[in-house]
Amino acid sequence: MTMINTLIDVRDGEALVAAPQPIVLEASELDIHYGEHWAVRDVDIAVEQNRITAMIGPSGCGKSTVLRCFNRMNDLIESARVSGSVAYHGVDLYDKAVDPVEVRRRIGMVFQKPNPFPKSIWENIAFGPRVAGIARSKADLDEIVERSLRKAALWDEVKDRLGKSAMGLSGGQQQRLCIARAIAVDPDVLLMDEPCSALDPIATARIEDLMREIKEDFTIVIVTHNMQQAARVSDRTAFFSAAVDEAAGVRYGHLVEFAETEKIFSNPEDERTENYITGRFG
Amino acid sequence: MALSTLSSAGKAGNSVDSQTLSGTMDWRGMLFRVLLLSSLVLTLLIIVVLLVDVVSDGSGVLTGRLSDFLHGTLRSRSSDEKLGLFQGLRGSVWIAIFVIGLAFPIGIGAAIYLEEYASANRLTHFIELNIRNLAGVPSVVYGLLGLTLFLNLFKRFTQGDTLVSAGITLAILVLPVVIITSSEAIRAVPNALREGGYGVGATQWEVIRFHVLPYAAPGILTGTLLSLSRAIGEAAPLILIGAITGRLGSSPGLADVGALREKFTALPIVITSWVQKSNGAQDDGVEGMGFAAHAAAAIVVLLVFVLLLNSVAIYLRNRFEKQRG
């Protein structure tokens, strides 16, 4: 990752950002079952390096479910079953030899509701690097804690109370702490599952600024209910929708259209996408 | 003041006075409130009467000869100046140690497995259901189990009717309760906490060790220590296992581990036997205090013992909760 960063210096200009990027994550013919229920069908999506990929769509269209396949978070739900393939730099994440713990260290996650550990701010950040064996000494961990908090634009607000409980922070601060916690283990990809849905507009704007800043270091995939948010922050947008399986009489989610964000919002190819983004349904 | 503000804020013509704002009396709500309050008062009243009765009966012994009483031993017939409950206290302390040492680790371990590792299938549900049923089994039945297992089958290990048999039997008695309360505490841990742990690349064990258990600790502690109080108050299973009610020959020290394989007694047994002896017996007793007064004093000692354990539980729970933030 560092090598690629030195090759393409994103700060040099927008032109470089638009250049085709290597593909980090690629789902092909992805099907997800919950028990008997075939919840998500036939999704093909590719996530490019150092860009923000947004997944939008109405409730129940499977976008969060797909996101959770990218770091095998679905493993935690006993009835969930995944078929097709999800390749991470060409390696199938669902291969038997792949350790989900290692996957989640490289592909971090920020959740819908801020979920800091009920421990000190310092402990929240240090936990990941410690269990990953990245750092053991207090001094090394101190350094990681400061670096992560600075990157998450939270350092100035909390530097005097690192030993205090993280539960005392505001919702927006908690969510930035969760971002700091996720980037402390130096992941390659950050998955964000509606990270702003529990936040007010000011906290939301801060998180969006933060996403634009850290995308030079990370590849970001964000699920959002908020179309404006997708339009504001993302480079590429995937529109998911729910459809009804007439034979079985059940709803399932599928990918309708996936393209550059600008194209999705100005000139979508699929009529359903256009209806959704113009507010005619969903 | 508030009313005048209200009426001045009201539109012209819409006059607001105290009549408009007064509601009808909510009689049903009041009735329920009184009913609920009276059930609380009744409960408290029973406890107070019990305490006052026991303390006043035992006060002579507790103030007159407390040290002798705590160090003395069981006597066979009359209550002489050597009468005391040391042997019973020792038995109860060791029973507590057995429960803490056996039932707590095994019970909490089983609960962690059931909640965190076992897959939610029919077998797991069946096992959970049975643990719940076991918690409702009368304690005498556990006494029978102890009788079969430790007085007959494993006699070579326990030496029959000894403190070892009693301790293990009572540990088994509270095991289901420990498992149930620990399971409930673990189940109450928010899933978001687990996800947060997994999300930064922790293994299942690391998530359990660093996040689930610390969060569940207050609940686990409260439940397990309450079950310990129950074990200490049990008399029925101990009678089946052969706790001594009469004179107990030896009186080994509290830390005498070798004496765990000797005949034993415990506080609830001491209390039962003294109460029995006080019924209709002609007994002048020590300093004019008979078995009845000593039984009351022993109850106070047992209560203090249990209260001490509970306050440890409350202290630890508060500490863990503070850490939780």
Side-chain angles (χ1 to χ4, degrees):
Chain A
M1 196 183 105
T2 30
M3 200 181 74
I4 292 157
N5 273 345
T6 45
L7 285 178
I8 306 166
D9 192 353
V10 186
R11 277 163 299 187
D12 272 358
E14 289 294 308
L16 270 175
V17 179
Q21 299 280 319
I23 286 166
V24 176
L25 278 166
E26 185 168 24
S28 35
E29 293 171 21
L30 182 67
D31 288 331
I32 302 163
H33 288 82
Y34 286 122
E36 295 293 299
H37 182 210
W38 188 4
V40 174
R41 302 186 183 181
D42 198 25
V43 170
D44 293 280
I45 189 168
V47 174
E48 294 175 16
Q49 177 125 36
N50 295 97
R51 302 186 75 185
I52 300 177
T53 304
M55 306 207 280
I56 60 169
S59 308
C61 67
K63 52 197 191 300
S64 284
T65 309
V66 170
L67 187 77
R68 280 160 178 261
C69 281
F70 286 158
N71 69 344
R72 293 194 53 176
M73 219 55 182
N74 273 339
D75 288 21
L76 304 181
I77 301 163
E78 235 172 285
S79 64
R81 202 154 43 79
V82 173
S83 52
S85 80
V86 182
Y88 169 66
H89 291 296
V91 179
D92 187 0
L93 288 181
Y94 285 86
D95 192 277
K96 276 202 176 66
V98 169
D99 176 10
V101 171
E102 189 55 33
V103 170
R104 294 183 202 122
R105 203 191 69 62
R106 287 164 190 263
I107 306 175
M109 192 153 200
V110 176
F111 300 85
Q112 185 169 359
K113 233 181 102 206
N115 62 343
F117 303 133
K119 296 175 188 289
S120 74
I121 293 170
W122 191 91
E123 282 288 340
N124 263 276
I125 312 284
F127 175 71
R130 201 155 40 193
V131 297
I134 297 171
R136 296 209 187 278
S137 73
K138 171 92 169 55
D140 289 350
L141 287 169
D142 276 339
E143 198 192 313
I144 292 177
V145 168
E146 178 171 350
R147 198 186 334 131
S148 310
L149 285 171
R150 278 190 192 283
K151 234 182 245 178
L154 191 61
W155 174 252
D156 291 330
E157 289 159 67
V158 301
K159 65 181 175 209
D160 299 322
R161 49 168 170 160
L162 293 176
K164 296 265 166 62
S165 171
M167 307 315 277
L169 298 175
S170 73
Q173 288 174 324
Q174 286 188 6
Q175 195 62 303
R176 275 180 284 144
L177 180 69
C178 290
I179 294 174
R181 178 178 77 186
I183 61 189
V185 290
D186 196 22
D188 187 11
V189 184
L190 265 187
L191 306 178
M192 303 180 119
D193 190 359
E194 298 183 39
C196 302
S197 63
L199 305 182
D200 63 59
I202 295 167
T204 300
R206 295 205 67 159
I207 303 264
E208 288 178 8
D209 287 342
L210 182 60
M211 287 170 67
R212 284 187 209 99
E213 272 166 43
I214 60 176
K215 80 169 183 183
E216 359 179 316
D217 299 319
F218 308 99
T219 302
I220 297 174
V221 186
I222 177 176
V223 162
T224 176
H225 258 121
N226 181 333
M227 275 183 288
Q228 285 75 34
Q229 181 168 59
R232 282 193 299 264
V233 299
S234 73
D235 301 302
R236 284 174 73 78
T237 297
F239 171 63
F240 284 77
S241 186
V244 177
D245 180 341
E246 299 292 347
V250 290
R251 269 163 66 90
Y252 65 92
H254 65 118
L255 178 65
V256 174
E257 191 171 350
F258 180 41
E260 295 291 312
T261 298
E262 214 185 282
K263 182 164 166 20
I264 289 275
F265 282 93
S266 59
N267 184 25
E269 296 205 338
D270 199 291
E271 197 185 343
R272 288 168 293 181
T273 315
E274 191 174 354
N275 287 343
Y276 183 73
I277 59 160
T278 51
R280 257 172 285 181
F281 103 102
Chain B
M1 170 72 195
L3 266 178
S4 67
T5 328
L6 257 178
S7 48
S8 68
K11 285 178 196 161
N14 283 356
S15 73
V16 177
D17 54 24
S18 57
Q19 200 65 42
T20 340
L21 290 176
S22 72
T24 46
M25 189 74 186
D26 180 11
W27 287 110
R28 260 193 269 180
M30 279 297 284
L31 186 70
F32 256 103
R33 205 178 146 162
V34 169
L35 268 175
L36 297 174
L37 180 68
S38 48
S39 44
L40 176 67
V41 169
L42 186 70
T43 315
L44 288 177
L45 214 64
I46 293 170
I47 294 173
V48 168
V49 168
L50 228 114
L51 278 177
V52 168
D53 182 47
V54 168
V55 171
S56 70
D57 283 358
S59 63
V61 176
L62 291 172
T63 53
R65 52 185 302 270
L66 181 64
S67 174
D68 284 348
F69 178 63
L70 289 178
H71 289 100
T73 54
L74 301 180
R75 318 308 294 166
S76 50
R77 277 187 203 87
S78 66
S79 43
D80 59 29
E81 70 282 353
K82 283 183 187 159
L83 181 73
L85 46 53
F86 180 75
Q87 291 152 321
L89 196 58
R90 173 177 182 276
S92 286
V93 168
W94 273 103
I95 284 168
I97 293 172
F98 270 98
V99 170
I100 293 171
L102 289 175
F104 285 12
I106 297 174
I108 296 170
I112 295 172
Y113 185 84
L114 274 176
E115 292 303 319
E116 298 290 322
Y117 291 95
S119 52
N121 54 27
R122 278 204 193 139
L123 181 66
T124 313
H125 283 297
F126 181 71
I127 291 171
E128 275 171 2
L129 188 74
N130 277 290
I131 293 172
R132 266 170 207 285
N133 286 336
L134 280 178
V137 169
S139 55
V140 181
V141 179
Y142 284 95
L144 277 173
L145 178 80
L147 183 67
T148 318
L149 284 181
F150 307 124
L151 271 65
N152 297 322
L153 274 176
F154 301 117
K155 193 172 179 185
R156 287 181 61 184
F157 168 66
T158 59
Q159 304 296 318
D161 50 356
T162 62
L163 207 41
V164 176
S165 303
I168 301 177
T169 304
L170 286 186
I172 295 173
L173 169 82
V174 299
L175 196 54
V177 183
V178 173
I179 297 176
I180 291 169
T181 50
S182 305
S183 291
E184 268 158 19
I186 292 170
R187 210 173 301 156
V189 176
N191 232 348
L193 194 60
R194 293 189 183 87
E195 287 186 333
Y198 287 120
V200 292
T203 61
Q204 184 169 20
W205 169 241
E206 284 159 351
V207 170
I208 293 171
R209 163 73 185 75
F210 294 106
H211 300 301
V212 174
L213 287 184
Y215 194 93
I220 292 178
L221 257 167
T222 317
T224 49
L225 280 163
L226 281 178
S227 68
L228 177 60
S229 307
R230 185 185 163 199
I232 287 165
E234 281 293 346
L238 297 181
I239 292 171
L240 285 182
I241 288 173
I244 299 293
T245 54
R247 206 175 81 85
L248 185 54
S250 66
S251 178
L254 207 57
D256 187 350
V257 179
L260 291 180
R261 293 194 193 181
E262 288 176 12
K263 289 184 171 294
F264 76 100
T265 192
L267 281 180
I269 301 291
V270 171
I271 293 164
T272 326
S273 87
W274 284 353
V275 169
Q276 278 170 349
K277 280 177 184 163
S278 72
N279 283 343
Q282 278 300 93
D283 179 25
D284 295 334
V286 207
E287 298 159 26
M289 292 174 292
F291 275 118
H294 283 88
I299 291 173
V300 173
V301 171
L302 179 62
L303 281 178
V304 169
F305 189 23
V306 170
L307 280 179
L308 274 177
L309 283 173
N310 284 354
S311 37
V312 170
I314 291 168
Y315 169 75
L316 287 174
R317 190 188 60 199
N318 288 346
R319 252 191 63 171
F320 279 115
E321 271 177 354
K322 207 174 274 172
Q323 277 176 15
R324 206 200 265 181

